[in-house]
Each structure stands twice: as C-alpha cells, then as structure tokens.
Amino acid sequence: MEEIWFNLKKYLENEHPCIVCQSSDLAPWAELNYLIAKKCNKCGMISVNPHFNDKGLHLLYSTYFQKREDSELLKIQRDDVYEIDQKWVTNFIETGTVLDIGCSGGFFLSKFSPDKWKREGVEIAGDAADYARNFFDIDVHEGLITELNFEKKYDLVMLRGVIEHFRDPLSVFEKCSDIIKPGGYLFLSATPAGDSFAFEVYREKWSLFVPLEHIHFFTVDLLDEVLSRYSFRQISHHYQYQETPYANPGRDFDKIQKDICLKAEGRFSEIDGSVPFPGSMLTGLWQKSCT
C-alpha cells in the first residue's frame, strides 16, 4: 500500500473549486497521508481535493480487480447486499434494458434475470470485463462511460458503489441523461453519504473514507440539486443498515458512543476506526423527465 501511495503522488492535480457550486471557499474535513478532503462552506459538498489526474487513476485501477482479494465471508456478505439492492430497485422497474456503469466482474448485474432484462455493463478494467462476459454472459463495453458511444437508450442505468470514484461525476450524470430513455431511471447505491453522522464523528478514521478511491461524498440534497440540471427528479431514497449482513446494532451503537466520548476528551488518537452505522450508505432512484 505504501508503494501505491508513493507512485501516485506525482499525478496529483491542482486544487479546484467545488464541483457542485464552483465556490473556492473550502475547509479541511479529513486527511490521510497527503490526500485531504475539503468541505465547501457554501453548499456542503465534500471532495478529496486535489486528487489524481486521469493517468494516476488509470494506474490505480489497472490492477484493481486482479488484486481485490476478499475473504469468503465478505464475498457472501457482498452477495447478500447485491440481492438487497436488486430487490429494492425492481420495486420500481421490473424489466427492460439495464446498463451497469462500473460493473466490475458482473456480480451485481448477474442478479438481474436475463429473462426480464437485457443486461449490459461498462467497465474500464479488461480483466473484470472478461470475467463478466465469460461467467455471466453479460455484454460489457470497455472504457470510460463519458468516452463511449451508445446506439441505444436504456430503461435503467445503475451506478453501484461507483459515482464517488469519478474525478468528474457531473459529466457522468450528463452522459447518463443522454443514454436514459424519457421516463427511465438512474439508480445509485452503496454511495458514501457526505452528511453521515459517522463521517462527522470519525473523519479520516471513517471506514468509507478511502481517499485513494473515494473522491466525492454527495448528500441526497446535493444529488437532487445536481441531477435536476440533467432533467432528473428523485423517486425514492434510503440508507441501508439494519437489513444488511454488516449491521450489529448493539456493537455499533456502543462503539460510536464510546468513541464520541474519547473524541470529546481529546483522545481521538485512541479511536481505532469506525463500524457500520445508520445513514452512512446512500441508495436512491431518480427518474428522467418525459419531456
């Protein structure tokens, strides 16, 4: 891990204004190594700023899928959450053409029955795209979503655990608007919430603050504001916790209470990190205008 931090540092860009409101009134929020998340004092958007340029991100993700080694327990837990997400979004749309941006090996998309869905994905990592094709028979477009051309429009476009990874997420939203049918849906899930209570408490010790990868931390209100620019309106949102295999309310609530006390006593260095907590992971669905 130290090696990748060292190799990527030369790809840092200059600090930029807030991606939502273009204000330069930014305040430090959380810091890990040389990467600093800053909060916009005007609109509240939190972003790691500066971050890496395209070359740096290509280096970071070139072996991402290959090096990702999960325990069997984590694989089972993640598979359970894929099922939860699939069931939630299909309460609103049951069939059609679906495009999963950042589909990785096709694990989430595989939960959508090919009898009901025409399944396609977008992935920048060639090995992950091959896995989705070979194991799940999913048609995968390789490359950056903003640089790809599509001959069709989709009923549902999904960004699961993805939007926080993009340098320029607004250009991704604009692209999504271009390729979603009028009346179609944009689904975001597993997105770290910038207004999470746990993020406020833990800052750089929050488990979802992974600044090498997680660049932007949206809130529902900020997503509503940004997506309205591209003709989307919110249909529903929620924050997964109790229904997931990660939740342990007794343990989680006890720990955060103790850690709040440690922080108040000036003993933040004794806190060893966070646990899952309500309000941390955002899921939402937006519908594109029919006009």
Side-chain angles (χ1 to χ4, degrees), residues 82-103:
Y82 292 153
E83 294 276 4
I84 292 168
D85 275 346
Q86 188 272 345
K87 290 177 181 177
W88 189 84
V89 73
T90 52
N91 284 321
F92 302 92
I93 176 171
E94 298 180 351
T95 186
T97 53
V98 56
L99 181 71
D100 187 14
I101 299 173
C103 69

Side-chain angles (χ1 to χ4, degrees), residues 33-48:
N33 206 322
Y34 54 78
L35 293 179
I36 305 173
K38 296 167 185 172
K39 184 173 184 178
C40 176
N41 287 324
K42 182 177 179 181
C43 73
M45 182 69 196
I46 298 174
S47 299
V48 177

Side-chain angles (χ1 to χ4, degrees), residues 77-89 108 160-161 187-193 196 206 208 220 237-248 252 275-284:
Q77 290 176 328
R78 186 172 289 115
D79 194 69
D80 288 344
V81 179
Y82 292 153
E83 294 276 4
I84 292 168
D85 275 346
Q86 188 272 345
K87 290 177 181 177
W88 189 84
V89 73
F108 177 45
R160 188 188 188 283
F187 176 54
L188 275 68
S189 188
T191 299
S196 162
W206 190 39
L208 298 177
V220 169
H237 78 273
H238 80 128
Y239 299 90
Q240 291 183 359
Y241 173 71
Q242 192 76 36
E243 70 270 38
T244 72
Y246 309 117
N248 185 328
D252 300 341
V275 288
F277 199 74
S280 294
M281 295 293 274
L282 167 63
T283 292

Side-chain angles (χ1 to χ4, degrees), residues 102-150:
C103 69
S104 186
F107 306 107
F108 177 45
L109 202 49
S110 72
K111 302 301 179 184
F112 292 76
S113 170
D115 295 331
K116 293 185 175 182
W117 296 92
K118 167 59 178 167
R119 308 176 304 178
E120 297 180 26
V122 173
E123 178 55 46
I124 61 172
D127 52 353
D130 286 340
Y131 192 97
R133 295 185 188 108
N134 296 333
F135 284 86
F136 299 117
D137 194 27
I138 292 170
D139 183 13
V140 181
H141 308 266
E142 284 190 51
L144 290 170
I145 179 64
T146 52
E147 298 176 0
L148 294 171
N149 294 316
F150 295 87

